[in-house]
Amino acid sequence: MKFYLAILILFFSQLPFGQKIDREIFDETLGSKKAQTYSMLEESFEKFLNLNYPDEKSLSKKMKRYLLDIHDQNFNWIFDNNLSSITLQQLESSGLRKDIMLYKNETYEERFPFEDYIEEKKPSTDKSEEIELNEYFEDIIEVPPTSRKEERRLRKEEFKRQKIRDKFPQPNKHGLFYYALAKSKKDNEDILAYLAGITKYGIRPSPSLIAYGFIENLTEEEFIKWENKLLVIVEVYLSSLIYNDIMKKIACG
């Protein structure tokens, strides 16, 4: 009996070394410094949830409330300015922010073999799709006439929006962060589809689309699986921190 017990203990003690779990692969691929920085970003997000949803007992319930607010476009959140500043500074100093997003005119020399994990899919050549797109654009070409005063106001608003868009970083389709995610979740079709959009086409899912997808397709417990939480953290929470920082700089400038 003791012999078999010893064998079982030896077997289970060797599992972490013989077969690494996906989060370990993600962290190892990032490297210890950047993995630690991402963990800090996770902690920052959870503190943000605690601050905004103190009545909810569990992290999964807080996540659900957060997703519902995103879905309903209720963005009246409270941010801890000191925590936000520290989080963004750590992302910059570690280099992790550049592995996720790049500002205009920033360069990124590193390249990773995404093709090992993300299949190349040929774009559709279905003519019906082209017709639908053309019809859609025909519908929106005609713009109702406006007064010169209204036109100036609209141009001014668009100029402000464009100014913010120009300052906002875009996904780094070559980034180590996304490669680490692809490597660690190579059997997760949903994550790979998300990564294909980022790395091949530079397409990011909107916060409302993420919220809808989570609410409709995942359980509350699945909300807080690390890879699902990562998507919300990067595409919604981190984007909010950066947006707030940009708006402060514009206001001060």
Side-chain angles (χ1 to χ4, degrees):
M1 182 67 179
K2 289 182 179 179
F3 173 77
Y4 289 110
L5 183 60
I7 292 293
L8 285 173
I9 292 171
L10 180 63
F11 172 76
F12 285 111
S13 68
Q14 293 299 315
L15 271 179
F17 301 97
Q19 188 175 3
K20 294 174 184 173
I21 60 173
D22 49 9
R23 181 58 189 263
E24 287 179 340
I25 294 170
F26 176 77
D27 288 346
E28 282 190 7
T29 306
L30 280 182
S32 59
K33 185 177 181 180
K34 292 177 180 178
Q36 185 178 4
T37 299
Y38 179 70
S39 293
M40 287 182 63
L41 179 59
E42 278 185 307
E43 290 174 13
S44 172
F45 175 61
E46 291 181 14
K47 288 177 181 177
F48 164 82
L49 292 179
N50 290 334
L51 180 63
N52 285 274
Y53 309 104
D55 296 335
E56 300 294 349
K57 301 298 182 184
S58 66
L59 180 60
S60 59
K61 293 286 185 185
K62 295 176 194 291
M63 275 279 287
K64 184 175 183 179
R65 285 278 304 280
Y66 182 55
L67 292 166
L68 286 170
D69 278 346
I70 295 167
H71 182 265
D72 297 336
Q73 297 191 0
N74 176 25
F75 305 135
N76 298 318
W77 298 311
I78 301 168
F79 288 87
D80 181 329
N81 291 331
N82 186 51
L83 178 61
S84 298
S85 178
I86 291 171
T87 301
L88 291 175
Q89 286 173 14
Q90 186 63 31
L91 283 165
E92 289 296 328
S93 62
S94 69
L96 184 61
R97 192 271 302 159
K98 288 187 72 174
D99 291 323
I100 303 172
M101 302 176 184
L102 293 175
Y103 286 101
K104 194 174 182 179
N105 299 325
E106 276 190 318
T107 58
Y108 191 86
E109 301 298 331
E110 294 182 271
R111 294 294 182 270
F112 303 97
F114 283 95
E115 64 276 6
D116 290 350
Y117 307 105
I118 302 173
E119 292 182 9
E120 183 72 41
K121 291 186 178 180
K122 294 181 180 180
S124 173
T125 56
D126 188 348
K127 295 293 182 182
S128 63
E129 290 184 9
E130 293 180 16
I131 293 170
E132 287 176 8
L133 283 172
N134 289 334
E135 288 177 351
Y136 174 75
F137 282 113
E138 284 175 5
D139 287 341
I140 64 172
I141 283 172
E142 293 187 13
V143 179
T146 58
S147 66
R148 289 189 176 183
K149 184 177 180 180
E150 179 68 8
E151 189 176 338
R152 284 196 297 270
R153 185 186 68 80
L154 291 173
R155 284 182 179 177
K156 189 175 181 180
E157 288 181 359
E158 177 56 28
F159 177 76
K160 286 181 180 179
R161 285 194 292 268
Q162 187 60 50
K163 190 175 181 181
I164 295 169
R165 283 195 292 267
D166 288 344
K167 289 181 178 292
F168 204 87
Q170 297 302 311
N172 178 2
K173 64 181 182 179
H174 302 297
L176 173 63
F177 183 84
Y178 296 112
Y179 176 70
L181 184 57
K183 187 176 180 180
S184 62
K185 301 303 296 183
K186 59 185 178 181
D187 297 320
N188 187 315
E189 292 183 2
D190 292 330
I191 293 295
L192 292 180
Y194 161 70
L195 289 169
I198 294 285
T199 61
K200 294 184 180 299
Y201 310 109
I203 299 171
R204 302 171 63 183
S206 68
S208 58
L209 183 62
I210 292 170
Y212 177 81
F214 273 52
I215 293 166
E216 290 296 316
N217 299 295
L218 301 180
T219 65
E220 288 184 14
E221 290 308 311
E222 287 174 322
F223 290 166
I224 58 174
K225 289 180 68 175
W226 77 268
E227 66 272 18
N228 294 331
K229 190 167 60 170
L230 176 148
L231 201 153
V232 175
I233 288 173
V234 170
E235 296 298 338
V236 187
Y237 177 65
L238 177 57
S239 293
S240 298
L241 296 185
I242 293 173
Y243 175 82
N244 290 344
D245 189 57
I246 289 171
M247 294 305 292
K248 284 180 187 176
K249 289 175 180 175
I250 290 175
C252 293

